Amino acid sequence: MDSIKDFSLGIIGLGTVGTATIKLLEEQLVNITKKSGKNIIIKAISARDISKPRGININKYDWEESPIKLTEREDIDAIVELIGGSDGLAKELAYSAIENNKYFITANKALIAKHGYDLNFRISNKTVQIYYEAAVAGAIPVINGIKDGLVANNILEIYGILNGTCNYILSDMTNNGKTFEESLAKAQELGFAEADPSFDIEGIDSAQKLVILGLLAFGIEPDLNKVYVEGITSISAEDIKYTNRLGYKIKLLCIAKLVENKLDFRVHPVLCTSESITAGIGGALNAIFIKGDYSKEITFIGEGAGAEPTASSVVSDIINAARSSKSVNNINLLNSNYEYINIMSRKGKYYLRFIVKDVSGVLASITSILNEHSISLDSVIQDGNKGEDTQFIIILTHLCDELDIINAIKKIDNLETIINKSYLIRVENI
Ligand code: HSE
């Protein structure tokens, strides 16, 4: 019988995910060997600081000062990059690994969102492959789901809750009455948030993950600058209260659709009905709904952030790389790009929040401007603001054009009775 071959790793980055990856590889070594058919060996590691306490024994591995050298070593088959960042060292490692015929495994969404198309293009005539399951939705095997499980389909649309931090914040504000700041601090403590949490709460992290799914589903070269991105920083405790009262929950939703040969890619808060599956996705969970022409709708739900769920995907990629006998790239890359749809052409229902002076006629002045713009109303809440001379006016519209809403809000914001800039949330039927 042939002896089992080695598959040697160079791991770069020993933060929480890097450490959890090593732990998982060590704990599951026997199973992993059986499942991959190779001896997976951690040959060398590299990180910024050798002496940082990590709760694992790294002395048994070769320490390499220069991460780039790992990509050039003859005795390494795969580079596992867990440092992050769209450019700089992470990018250098990716290109050098491919150049040197090493498998490249990463959890780095910023890198793949920016350079994933080109990296996929570069491996098309190589024997190696790139893997980035951990870059989108933590433990959920959505990348493999699209690349392999759904490969027979044309993907028609993808909806997703792709940021654990935002979902945690919105759930915590809804279920436990916490403020935005309290919930964000807790998400940071639990290790979901990025080093710079503005990437999470401004929607950038979600948009990066969305364009990676877009690359896989539609073969396009993603352009983050053309994606409409709005985070959750303007959502207040009152919005949570009033949307609940109207029978909705607020979620930060990612949408990727191909509509009449144009890309409808966007990230923004949405209202979804309290009975929907989307509304039930709580805590740091992620969910992805994919519609294929033959598969119909598929739903993935699971842990979208945290060291162990992410390590689960990194190690799955390592095992898949070790098994691989790649001959084709399984993304059908397109040479031409589609145009992106402008958010202004959206048609839908809207939740509108106005904070106004508590004087007579204020509601009438708002509704008459909405009426001038052909916006008809579904529900109205007028509610006093305790101890203040102000009130909240909450309006849920019927179906209307985004352009009309934006123009109406601009006029309303000029009214002398308006105290704060008005805020809208789109309602999505998901
Ligand atoms: N900060 C990310 C999140 C981590 O909260 O989803 C996983 O990518």
Side-chain angles (χ1 to χ4, degrees):
M1 203 175 80
D2 286 350
S3 63
I4 219 173
K5 287 197 179 125
D6 289 349
F7 189 78
S8 299
L9 310 175
I11 300 183
I12 300 150
L14 292 178
T16 53
V17 174
T19 305
T21 297
I22 292 182
K23 258 192 206 154
L24 174 48
L25 284 169
E26 289 176 347
E27 279 170 19
Q28 295 295 320
L29 191 63
V30 174
N31 280 336
I32 287 172
T33 308
K34 271 193 208 149
K35 287 180 181 171
S36 64
K38 300 262 172 71
N39 281 321
I40 294 182
I41 297 167
I42 302 173
K43 187 65 102 187
I45 52 178
S46 184
R48 258 203 305 250
D49 179 3
I50 193 169
S51 58
K52 194 173 136 191
R54 295 182 167 92
I56 52 169
N57 174 13
I58 56 169
N59 297 329
K60 53 187 165 179
Y61 305 120
D62 237 14
W63 179 266
E64 181 67 75
E65 279 299 329
S66 155
I68 285 292
K69 273 204 190 136
L70 287 178
T71 65
E72 294 159 358
R73 270 170 62 161
E74 293 277 307
D75 61 346
I76 284 184
D77 299 297
I79 294 297
V80 183
E81 179 270 307
L82 301 170
I83 54 174
S86 64
D87 293 285
L89 181 57
K91 182 183 172 194
E92 256 183 84
L93 288 167
Y95 281 87
S96 178
I98 292 170
E99 185 60 36
N100 288 292
N101 274 314
K102 311 287 180 208
Y103 290 86
F104 183 71
I105 296 152
T106 183
N108 185 340
K109 60 222 145 189
L111 174 78
I112 300 301
K114 191 162 175 192
H115 304 293
Y117 180 92
D118 190 46
L119 290 168
N120 271 293
F121 182 74
R122 275 167 197 260
I123 54 159
S124 35
N125 54 5
K126 295 270 183 188
T127 52
V128 289
Q129 179 65 283
I130 56 173
Y131 295 86
Y132 41 91
E133 184 63 76
V136 180
I140 302 175
V142 63
I143 305 274
N144 276 314
I146 298 177
K147 275 169 86 167
D148 295 327
L150 292 171
V151 67
N153 289 262
N154 289 306
I155 304 294
L156 306 176
E157 56 189 39
I158 302 179
Y159 292 88
I161 294 174
L162 296 177
N163 185 268
T165 302
C166 288
N167 207 45
Y168 181 86
I169 293 172
L170 294 173
S171 307
D172 200 35
M173 287 172 77
T174 305
N175 302 333
N176 306 320
K178 294 283 166 55
T179 64
F180 185 93
E181 290 72 25
E182 284 167 341
S183 303
L184 171 59
K186 189 80 185 155
Q188 286 178 290
E189 196 184 307
L190 291 167
F192 307 142
E194 296 300 299
D196 177 355
S198 65
F199 277 64
D200 296 298
I201 59 179
E202 303 286 0
I204 299 156
D205 175 271
S206 294
Q208 288 170 336
K209 293 167 179 166
L210 181 72
V211 298
I212 296 174
L213 296 182
L215 161 69
L216 288 163
F218 307 119
I220 48 135
E221 180 166 15
D223 186 347
L224 257 185
N225 298 321
K226 293 196 176 137
V227 177
Y228 177 78
V229 183
E230 184 190 319
I232 62 165
T233 51
S234 299
I235 296 171
S236 64
E238 284 79 15
D239 294 319
I240 303 277
K241 179 174 94 181
Y242 295 124
T243 50
N244 264 330
R245 207 191 279 180
L246 292 164
Y248 292 91
K249 293 265 184 302
I250 306 176
K251 294 285 171 192
L252 182 67
L253 196 74
C254 303
I255 298 172
K257 282 195 262 186
L258 196 54
V259 183
E260 291 166 3
N261 280 332
K262 285 192 183 168
L263 297 171
D264 185 11
F265 274 39
R266 47 200 160 95
V267 176
H268 53 74
V270 302
L271 259 59
C272 46
T273 57
S274 299
E275 302 78 45
S276 62
I277 299 178
T278 320
I281 310 297
L285 288 180
N286 280 192
I288 303 117
F289 309 91
I290 302 180
K291 199 190 265 178
D293 49 358
Y294 276 70
S295 65
K296 312 301 176 208
E297 191 163 296
I298 307 284
T299 306
F300 294 85
I301 299 172
E303 299 292 334
E308 290 186 352
T310 310
S312 158
S313 283
V314 175
V315 175
S316 298
D317 277 352
I318 292 172
I319 295 171
N320 281 327
R323 288 167 169 171
S324 163
S325 56
K326 174 191 173 266
S327 56
V328 289
N329 183 7
N330 44 8
I331 309 183
N332 184 17
L333 298 174
L334 298 181
N335 287 328
S336 58
N337 258 331
Y338 294 108
E339 228 178 273
Y340 285 73
I341 290 179
N342 191 306
I343 188 82
M344 287 299 172
S345 58
R346 179 184 185 270
K347 272 185 200 305
K349 294 182 177 185
Y350 293 81
Y351 160 96
L352 308 174
R353 180 241 290 157
F354 305 101
I355 304 178
V356 297
K357 287 185 192 161
D358 193 0
V359 291
S360 71
V362 62
L363 176 62
S365 59
I366 291 174
T367 53
S368 85
I369 293 176
L370 293 173
N371 187 38
E372 273 168 34
H373 289 83
S374 317
I375 297 161
S376 71
L377 315 186
D378 177 312
S379 320
V380 178
I381 299 175
Q382 194 170 12
D383 203 9
N385 198 2
K386 259 193 210 141
E388 312 258 344
D389 279 346
T390 60
Q391 50 173 219
F392 285 90
I393 292 181
I394 306 297
I395 291 177
L396 194 65
T397 74
H398 283 302
L399 207 67
C400 53
D401 290 332
E402 175 120 356
L403 194 60
D404 287 331
I405 287 279
I406 298 296
N407 286 334
I409 284 183
K410 266 190 209 147
K411 266 196 206 157
I412 292 170
D413 278 349
N414 283 331
L415 293 172
E416 196 259 324
T417 43
I418 291 287
I419 291 177
N420 277 11
K421 208 166 168 288
S422 309
Y423 180 55
L424 72 79
I425 307 180
R426 299 167 185 87
V427 181
E428 287 286 340
N429 196 11
I430 40 146

